[in-house]
Structure formats: structure tokens, C-alpha cells
Amino acid sequence: MPAGAVRPGCGRLSAENRQPAPSGRSGTRCLQRPRCGGRGRQPQAGQAPKKPGTGPLTETELRAARLIAKGKYNKEIAVELGITYGRTRNLVSAVYRKLGAVDRVDLIAKLEKG
């Protein structure tokens, strides 16, 4: 891809920014890389970009948090939720991050508070 070109779908394609893709490729490319950095779709006006690890707990994360509060280990949580052990580890990490907990004891204390 030549300097200054951005992959399709960057959200900055307009009539004046379009250029045909190189031969052998389909679609168009955006020439506005300096503006959008080629990082994909930009948030709409008035919307803040969503930060990963923020927001309310998902239903699965909430179920995992309740199982942690009951004293279950990750392997037991995986079996109970019907997911892999690796997915359980990621899920527990997301719960820690979203609630600002550093370990299971801290997580349980935060769950009891509210």
C-alpha cells in the first residue's frame, strides 16, 4: 500500500478521497491516512470512543463473579459455565478489570459493597 493510503472502511472515504485500488485488487482506498491514522472506523460525532474493560459486567461475567464469590476455582467455573479454562481466565480478568479488583478477596469485597 503506498504511503498515505488507508485501508477501505476507515470511515473517511468520500468522493474526493477515493482512488481505485491497484490492479488486481477490488474496492477503493482512502488517501486520508494522516487524518485518521488508518485505525479503522472513527466514532461518530458526539460519541466518545469506547475503552476496553469498561462498562457494566456482561451476563457471563456476572455469573462468573458470583461463582468466584462462592469460592469456586477457575476450573470449576469453566465446567459450570460450559466454557474452556482459557476463556474462564480471560473472563475472570475482565471481571477484575471492570470492578477494579486486584485479587479474589478484593473482588468479593467489592461485590458485597454493591
Side-chain angles (χ1 to χ4, degrees):
M1 191 176 285
V6 173
R7 64 181 178 258
C10 74
R12 299 273 185 186
L13 287 175
S14 63
E16 65 273 1
N17 296 344
R18 291 180 193 214
Q19 182 180 41
S23 61
R25 294 186 183 170
S26 62
T28 59
R29 62 182 175 205
C30 175
L31 301 176
Q32 298 297 314
R33 185 177 190 126
R35 283 182 44 197
C36 68
R39 291 183 299 270
R41 238 176 233 291
Q42 301 297 311
Q44 298 294 326
Q47 290 180 342
K50 186 174 180 182
K51 295 179 183 176
T54 60
L57 294 178
T58 64
E59 187 63 36
T60 308
E61 290 167 345
L62 188 57
R63 289 176 62 199
R66 288 181 182 141
L67 292 171
I68 291 169
K70 289 181 180 179
K72 302 280 185 177
Y73 294 104
N74 285 353
K75 287 183 181 180
E76 296 170 317
I77 295 170
V79 170
E80 186 132 351
L81 297 180
I83 58 178
T84 65
Y85 176 71
R87 174 69 181 119
T88 303
R89 289 181 54 181
N90 291 336
L91 195 64
V92 171
S93 294
V95 172
Y96 285 174
R97 187 175 50 252
K98 287 183 178 182
L99 296 180
V102 293
D103 58 20
R104 288 178 185 253
V105 175
D106 190 28
L107 177 67
I108 293 168
K110 289 180 185 289
L111 288 173
E112 288 176 355
K113 277 186 180 178

